[in-house]
Amino acid sequence: MDAKTRLCCLIGNPVGHSLSPMIHNTLADELGINLCYTAFKVEKDRLHEAVAGADAFDILGMNVTVPHKCEIIKELSDIDPLAARIGAVNTLVRVDGGYKGYNTDAIGLYRELEEENIIIKDKEVIILGAGGASNAITYICADKGAAKIYLLNRTFDKAKKLADDVNSHFGDVVVPLAISDYRLIPEGKYPVIQTTSCGLYPHNDDAPIYDKEFYELVEAGVDIIFNPAKTMFMKLCKESGARAYNGLKMLLYQGIAAFELWNDIKVPKNLADKILGMMERKLKES
Ligand code: ATR
């Protein structure tokens, strides 16, 4: 580090277990970019001060995590149209007069899908969950041209609300259902994205749905959870003969997309793979 080192950071609460510093500091080292990344715990009522401070220090970029992803929007000087539609921002990029907000969570998931050869355009897909993570994912699937999205949630009303919201931008693409009503989905094989918090460590044996009949619908399953590395949802997908992936690549690619925005570069695939390996090892140690 020297007097020209640019700073990027994560703000949220908690931030202590984040893998983002490892992702960004490795990218900077490997690409020879004079940039350093750290994490700051920011309390809910101090978000405005945190952004004003970052602005004063000319911090190059920030990632934003829970609980600030929606509240941060009123602190921005500009916002990417997809992030505005989603209503949540996880990446801030330095621009004249402040920060522009993006949602690279959605971009990260889409890159993971592309890499695993899971096609969304003109396809019918199933999304489990209707919380904050599902919001970004449902929007990006609609934005990338899904023919239909079956949005299944334990609480039907939340699925209906998110479906209405997305449909107001994209036409009648999202069909909300209670999870227990999955039998209303026509027979076939679908990409299924699991966005609920069910199955997250230490509740490794939990899945939002156990019925074998449901898993007959799965062509490829993607769980956004990465700890544990193999969730119960993924095991059930595999038992029914489907491919299954965890959310580690989504996490990696949301970081890479942010790094690319901050530095106006493209990260090579071999470097992305190297960092994925480091993340896997780090999770195994923890
Ligand atoms: P996030 O930001 O991680 O999406 P969230 O906004 O709290 O978190 O949403 C959590 C999601 O996981 C919701 O869809 C929730 O379903 P409800 O809307 O019915 O609460 C879902 N979820 C959590 N625990 C679940 C469980 N045991 N079974 C099924 N769905 C569950």
Side-chain angles (χ1 to χ4, degrees), residues 121-155:
K121 188 166 168 41
D122 300 327
K123 295 265 285 195
E124 300 197 348
V125 305
I126 297 173
I127 296 177
L128 295 175
S134 172
N135 183 25
I137 287 165
T138 307
Y139 264 102
I140 192 104
C141 289
D143 192 57
K144 295 292 181 184
K148 193 174 276 184
I149 299 168
Y150 293 100
L151 183 65
L152 274 56
N153 198 42
R154 179 177 60 180
T155 312

Side-chain angles (χ1 to χ4, degrees), residues 24-182:
H24 293 288
N25 288 319
T26 307
L27 284 169
D29 276 355
E30 293 278 340
L31 295 166
I33 294 173
N34 193 356
L35 181 155
C36 159
Y37 187 104
T38 188
F40 294 117
K41 177 177 148 188
V42 174
E43 302 287 351
K44 252 186 166 171
D45 59 348
R46 304 204 66 181
L47 188 60
H48 176 73
E49 284 169 86
V51 177
D55 188 42
F57 284 133
D58 193 22
I59 284 178
L60 179 64
M62 286 183 275
N63 286 133
V64 182
T65 189
V66 178
H68 305 309
K69 285 187 183 187
C70 300
E71 284 301 303
I72 193 75
I73 291 176
K74 60 176 185 289
E75 309 296 337
L76 302 173
S77 58
D78 193 5
I79 186 163
D80 170 70
L82 181 65
R85 280 182 177 177
I86 293 169
V89 157
N90 79 316
T91 297
L92 268 54
V93 178
R94 189 78 174 132
V95 289
D96 276 349
Y99 290 95
K100 179 171 179 178
Y102 293 83
N103 190 308
T104 70
D105 288 331
I107 297 167
L109 173 88
Y110 195 69
R111 278 209 203 170
E112 170 167 11
L113 297 178
E114 277 183 317
E115 195 157 292
E116 307 301 4
N117 216 8
I118 299 172
I119 314 290
I120 297 297
K121 188 166 168 41
D122 300 327
K123 295 265 285 195
E124 300 197 348
V125 305
I126 297 173
I127 296 177
L128 295 175
S134 172
N135 183 25
I137 287 165
T138 307
Y139 264 102
I140 192 104
C141 289
D143 192 57
K144 295 292 181 184
K148 193 174 276 184
I149 299 168
Y150 293 100
L151 183 65
L152 274 56
N153 198 42
R154 179 177 60 180
T155 312
F156 172 75
D157 286 354
K158 270 169 77 180
K160 170 88 170 71
K161 188 170 176 300
L162 178 54
D164 287 348
D165 199 30
V166 177
N167 287 343
S168 71
H169 292 290
F170 294 98
D172 277 343
V173 64
V174 185
V175 179
L177 290 172
I179 285 195
S180 49
D181 283 340
Y182 71 84

